[in-house]
């Protein structure tokens, strides 16, 4: 619904209150007009005719609002606020799962170089190594550096021991055999010793197989030492596998050598969690804050707003375990065009104060002073030029949000998950003003001729309208003579009527606190060579300019009021009444 501003009859109602002046009839048997001048002067040097006063006009009556209008008084403070809120569409952000290839290697050692066929026990020292290599390709560009990857489901790492059969043997027993597995592997708890060591002691290796369960890859603990994908979005992962210690072989016959091979096989892994430097791309749709349903006095082309502390709230739930910064460009629009090239930029990406969404729910207040008393605000950000959005009231404000993860440290995120960022905005503009305010109010008083047409017998060339006004509104009101237009019943301007207002009689002084009224007097001087000009007036159009005066920062409330306590028509030199 549209806010409606009533015609300000408190200032101009006196024009409707002129008494009907009548001239007494002259008996037809006397033909006085042929011999006697029946023009009579009433009032001498100065005639003042009281024309009444007006009712108290509260702002709630001058500025009418309906439920759902953008302009509403606060229920508790009664301060007028321009408010608007709506959702912001932010696309879910997802970082792809990482697939790490399978890997295998083998370690071989001759346990017996040559056997003559005699039976007996042979002890062999082992110290062999090889490299286990895996790779990952098509890594999401959000993954800048990988510190660790967690498996979607654990995968098997299998150690299999095999021997040739040139000699006959009954057993091969491990004696403190230490198998060192790559340090980038993470195993289920209790399967290996600290440092990824597997100790086999007094265990039979003939036909033996050990299955371990890998739950992830761990590269390094701090930033800068992890795996960084190359230009092709790939990484190579390799590490040493060593086997040290002794084995005891019990030979039972045959001749030749005996060789043992440990095969290491690691299955392909799909990782659905990552710890590292993660900078996902987050896209927010451009949002339009539509400032419709505004009162007429705020929509005039000449209106200039200078709001003390306009506030734009950004509400967002950050589901990532890292701060998300918000850069934004806010552009005031009239129709499809940007207003005077003005725009407001916020965020560190534009060299401004960072706007940071911490993990969890956030309510960020962007304001002119950097202070806000709105309940629930988690962070205040000072935006000194935010009034540029409202100086000329726009049709809408185009908001281009750019959420960015700039964190170059490690944190953990789920891969393959759609991270939502439920977001909304709320505009809150309390109507308190600074020195650069200029509000223009246009209105008119019509149908005056039915009350004034009987004045055609009154001969006068000058008339002054005097208004005594009590003002408890914290806005100074100015009426300039060039902003008064007088028309007849046909809508034509009465150019013969000249209007003047002395400089010191153009203002209704503001209340400095919005509570205690201040009394002022306005004097509109009307002159014309047409001695019956008052009888021809039907419509007076006027444009009033509101300025803050000295009462800057005092808010407008619907309980503030204005009252014309006295309205008088003053005629210098008195009135000549033609009785002919």
């Amino acid at each position: 619904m549209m806010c409606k501003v009533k015609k300000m009859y408190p200032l101009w109602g006196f024009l409707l209150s002129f008494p009907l002046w009548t001239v007494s009839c002259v008996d037809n048997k006397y033909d006085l007009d042929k011999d006697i001048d029946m023009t009579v002067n009433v009032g001498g040097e100065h005639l003042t005719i009281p024309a009444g006063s007006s009712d108290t006009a509260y702002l709630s009556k001058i500025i009418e609002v309906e439920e759902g209008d953008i302009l509403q008084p606060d229920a508790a403070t009664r301060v007028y606020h321009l408010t608007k809120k709506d959702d912001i569409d932010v696309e879910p952000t997802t970082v792809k799962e990482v697939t790490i290839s399978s890997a295998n290697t083998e370690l071989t050692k001759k346990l017996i170089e040559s056997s003559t066929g005699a039976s007996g026990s042979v002890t062999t020292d082992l110290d062999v190594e090889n490299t286990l290599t895996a790779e990952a390709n098509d890594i999401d560009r959000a993954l800048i550096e990988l510190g660790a990857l967690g498996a979607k489901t654990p995968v098997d790492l299998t150690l299999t021991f095999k021997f040739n059969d040139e000699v006959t043997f009954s057993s091969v027993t491990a004696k403190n055999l230490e198998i060192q597995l790559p340090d980038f592997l993470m195993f289920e708890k209790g399967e290996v010793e600290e440092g990824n060591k597997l100790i086999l002691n007094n265990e039979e290796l003939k036909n033996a197989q050990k299955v371990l369960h890998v739950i992830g890859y761990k590269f390094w603990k701090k930033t800068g030492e992890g795996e960084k994908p190359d230009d092709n979005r790939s990484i190579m992962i390799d590490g040493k596998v060593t086997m040290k210690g002794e084995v005891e072989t019990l030979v039972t016959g045959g001749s030749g050598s005996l060789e043992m091979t440990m095969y290491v096989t690691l299955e392909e892994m799909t990782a659905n969690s990552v710890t590292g430097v993660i900078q996902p791309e987050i896209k927010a749709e451009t949002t339009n804050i539509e400032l419709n349903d505004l009162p007429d006095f705020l929509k005039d082309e000449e209106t200039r707003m200078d709001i003390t502390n306009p506030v734009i709230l950004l509400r967002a739930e950050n589901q990532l375990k890292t701060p998300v910064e918000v850069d934004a460009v806010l552009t005031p629009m009239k129709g499809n065009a940007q207003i005077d090239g003005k725009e407001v930029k916020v965020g560190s990406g534009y060299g401004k104060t960072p706007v940071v969404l911490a993990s969890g729910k956030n309510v960020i207040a962007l304001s002119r002073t950097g202070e806000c008393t709105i309940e629930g605000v988690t962070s205040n950000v000072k935006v000194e030029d935010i009034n540029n959005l409202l100086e000329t009231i726009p049709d809408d404000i185009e908001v281009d949000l750019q959420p960015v993860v700039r964190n170059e440290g490690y944190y953990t995120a789920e891969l393959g998950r759609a991270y939502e960022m439920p977001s909304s905005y709320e505009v809150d503009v309390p109507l308190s003003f600074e020195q650069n305010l200029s509000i223009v109010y246009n209105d008119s008083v019509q149908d005056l001729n039915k009350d004034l047409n009987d004045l055609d017998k009154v001969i006068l060339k000058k008339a002054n309208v005097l208004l005594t006004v009590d003002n408890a509104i914290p806005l100074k009101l100015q009426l300039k003579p060039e902003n008064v237009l007088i028309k007849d019943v046909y809508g034509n301007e009465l150019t013969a009527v000249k209007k003047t207002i002395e400089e010191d009689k153009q203002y209704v002084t503001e209340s400095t606190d919005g509570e205690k009224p201040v009394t002022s007097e306005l004097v509109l001087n009307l002159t014309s060579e047409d001695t019956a000009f008052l009888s021809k007036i039907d419509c007076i159009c006027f444009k009033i300019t509101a300025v803050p005066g000295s009462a800057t920062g005092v808010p407008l409330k619907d309980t503030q009021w204005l009252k014309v306590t006295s309205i008088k028509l003053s005629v210098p030199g008195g009135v000549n009444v033609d009785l002919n």
Side-chain angles (χ1 to χ4, degrees):
M1 300 295 294
M2 180 170 287
C3 295
K4 302 175 182 64
V5 181
K6 280 188 175 180
K7 294 179 179 179
M8 297 183 64
Y9 295 119
L11 282 178
W12 291 96
F14 65 94
L15 290 172
L16 296 175
S17 303
F18 284 152
L20 285 176
W21 294 358
T22 59
V23 178
S24 299
C25 294
V26 179
D27 195 317
N28 287 336
K29 67 183 179 180
Y30 299 102
D31 196 6
L32 297 179
D33 59 339
K34 292 182 179 180
D35 303 304
I36 302 174
D37 184 359
M38 294 299 292
T39 302
V40 179
N41 182 271
V42 181
E45 289 300 316
H46 201 283
L47 175 67
T48 300
I49 303 172
S53 62
S54 73
D55 293 332
T56 300
Y58 290 94
L59 276 183
S60 59
K61 298 298 183 181
I62 298 174
I63 305 175
E64 288 186 335
V65 297
E66 298 179 9
E67 186 177 353
D69 287 353
I70 190 173
L71 179 67
Q72 293 287 340
D74 183 88
T77 65
R78 310 312 304 174
V79 174
Y80 280 107
H81 288 247
L82 289 173
T83 59
K84 180 78 174 181
K85 56 184 176 181
D86 206 345
D87 292 334
I88 299 172
D89 291 329
V90 180
E91 294 182 15
T93 182
T94 302
V95 180
K96 293 186 303 183
E97 293 178 339
V98 176
T99 299
I100 304 172
S101 69
S102 61
N104 57 78
T105 190
E106 56 188 62
L107 285 75
T108 300
K109 176 65 176 178
K110 282 188 177 182
L111 303 183
I112 299 174
E113 290 288 343
S114 176
S115 173
T116 60
S119 300
S121 175
V122 178
T123 299
T124 307
D125 291 328
L126 303 181
D127 187 359
V128 293
E129 68 175 38
N130 209 341
T131 300
L132 183 70
T133 302
E135 64 179 324
N137 300 306
D138 193 26
I139 296 173
D140 197 295
R141 292 191 175 278
L143 301 178
I144 309 302
E145 181 176 317
L146 305 177
L149 292 167
K152 195 171 187 178
T153 56
V155 298
D156 292 346
L157 182 143
T158 304
L159 306 177
T160 303
F161 295 88
K162 292 187 176 182
F163 303 85
N164 67 14
D165 55 2
E166 291 183 3
V167 297
T168 304
F169 63 97
S170 61
S171 65
V172 177
T173 304
K175 299 294 184 179
N176 291 319
L177 182 63
E178 180 182 291
I179 299 172
Q180 175 68 62
L181 297 168
D183 57 4
F184 56 72
L185 295 176
M186 294 188 292
F187 295 93
E188 287 189 346
K189 188 176 181 180
E191 288 191 339
V192 295
E193 303 290 335
E194 184 178 356
N196 283 357
K197 291 181 173 63
L198 178 65
I199 307 297
L200 303 178
N201 191 27
N202 296 323
E203 292 193 35
E204 176 57 52
L205 300 181
K206 185 178 181 181
N207 299 321
Q209 186 179 76
K210 298 286 291 185
V211 179
L212 304 174
H213 301 95
V214 177
I215 60 174
Y217 283 72
K218 186 174 184 179
F219 306 111
W220 299 99
K221 294 183 179 180
K222 60 182 181 179
T223 306
E225 297 181 354
E227 291 286 341
K228 296 180 181 180
D230 60 22
D231 293 341
N232 296 319
R233 307 308 299 165
S234 300
I235 59 172
M236 299 294 294
I237 310 165
D238 53 47
K240 296 292 185 182
V241 180
T242 64
M243 184 168 54
K244 294 181 180 181
E246 295 180 345
V247 294
E248 183 180 354
T249 305
L250 186 59
V251 179
T252 57
S255 61
S257 63
L258 178 63
E259 187 176 78
M260 180 181 75
T261 300
M262 181 180 70
Y263 294 93
V264 182
T265 304
L266 176 62
E267 293 180 344
E268 179 182 272
M269 176 191 291
T270 297
N272 70 340
S273 70
V274 61
T275 299
V277 180
I278 313 161
Q279 297 179 350
E281 183 179 12
I282 306 172
K283 295 182 179 180
E285 292 187 11
T286 299
T287 300
N288 284 333
I289 302 175
E290 296 181 358
L291 299 179
N292 49 11
D293 297 336
L294 285 172
D296 290 339
F297 77 94
L298 293 180
K299 293 192 293 185
D300 192 281
E301 292 294 330
E302 297 181 38
T303 293
R304 294 294 179 268
M305 302 286 279
D306 192 10
I307 305 295
T308 299
N309 196 34
V311 178
I312 296 179
L313 296 182
L314 297 177
R315 301 179 185 271
E317 182 181 352
N318 176 14
Q319 297 179 355
L320 292 169
K321 294 181 179 179
T322 186
V324 174
E325 292 192 32
V326 177
D327 297 335
V329 179
L330 298 90
T331 307
M333 306 289 290
K334 275 281 189 184
N336 296 321
Q338 182 176 345
I339 295 178
D340 297 331
K342 289 188 176 180
E343 63 183 9
V344 173
K345 295 182 177 181
V346 299
S348 59
Y350 296 107
K352 308 288 186 178
T353 303
V355 179
V356 181
L357 303 177
S359 293
K361 294 184 178 180
N362 297 264
V363 182
I364 309 295
L366 310 177
S367 64
R368 188 174 186 176
T369 64
E371 298 178 356
C372 175
T373 59
I374 296 176
E375 186 176 355
V377 170
T378 58
S379 177
N380 280 288
V381 178
K382 187 175 183 179
V383 183
E384 293 180 346
D385 58 349
I386 197 170
N387 191 70
N388 287 350
L389 301 176
L390 300 166
E391 183 179 8
T392 298
I393 294 293
D395 294 332
D396 57 85
I397 299 173
E398 190 176 274
V399 181
D400 182 15
L401 290 180
Q402 302 146 30
V404 181
V405 177
R406 292 194 171 95
N407 182 12
E408 295 184 353
Y410 278 7
Y411 70 96
T412 300
E414 295 180 45
L415 300 176
R417 169 185 170 181
Y419 280 93
E420 306 278 352
M421 188 174 287
S423 302
S424 63
Y425 71 83
E426 182 174 339
V427 176
D428 189 306
V429 182
L431 292 190
S432 58
F433 304 105
E434 297 301 308
Q435 288 288 357
N436 293 324
L437 170 74
S438 176
I439 292 178
V440 176
Y441 175 76
N442 292 280
D443 213 334
S444 64
V445 179
Q446 302 182 27
D447 299 325
L448 299 179
N449 188 255
K450 62 184 179 181
D451 292 325
L452 300 179
N453 60 10
D454 288 330
L455 299 182
D456 59 343
K457 298 297 183 181
V458 178
I459 300 172
L460 55 81
K461 293 185 178 181
K462 296 180 180 179
N464 298 333
V465 180
L466 302 100
L467 298 90
T468 303
V469 183
D470 284 351
N471 184 19
I473 301 171
L475 292 178
K476 179 186 286 187
L477 306 176
Q478 182 181 17
L479 179 63
K480 297 179 180 180
E482 60 266 28
N483 290 336
V484 178
L485 185 65
I486 299 177
K487 296 182 179 182
D488 62 17
V489 292
Y490 304 107
N492 299 317
E493 182 181 0
L494 293 174
T495 56
V497 180
K498 296 182 179 180
K499 301 124 347 190
T500 59
I501 308 175
E502 296 180 10
E503 174 66 26
D504 61 345
K505 297 298 182 180
Q506 295 182 5
Y507 296 97
V508 176
T509 304
E510 75 280 7
S511 169
T512 56
D513 59 4
E515 302 289 340
K516 184 178 179 181
V518 177
T519 301
S520 304
E521 185 177 71
L522 293 179
V523 180
L524 173 63
N525 306 309
L526 304 177
T527 60
S528 179
E529 293 299 319
D530 182 353
T531 59
F533 73 91
L534 276 182
S535 67
K536 299 178 181 179
I537 295 175
D538 184 63
C539 175
I540 297 181
C541 304
F542 54 89
K543 180 163 65 177
I544 294 175
T545 303
V547 295
S550 60
T552 56
V554 181
L556 289 184
K557 301 181 180 180
D558 68 348
T559 54
Q560 293 162 348
W561 54 272
L562 177 141
K563 180 179 175 63
V564 180
T565 59
S566 174
I567 306 170
K568 297 178 181 179
L569 180 67
S570 174
V571 182
V575 175
N576 292 324
V577 181
D578 187 357
L579 301 180
N580 288 298

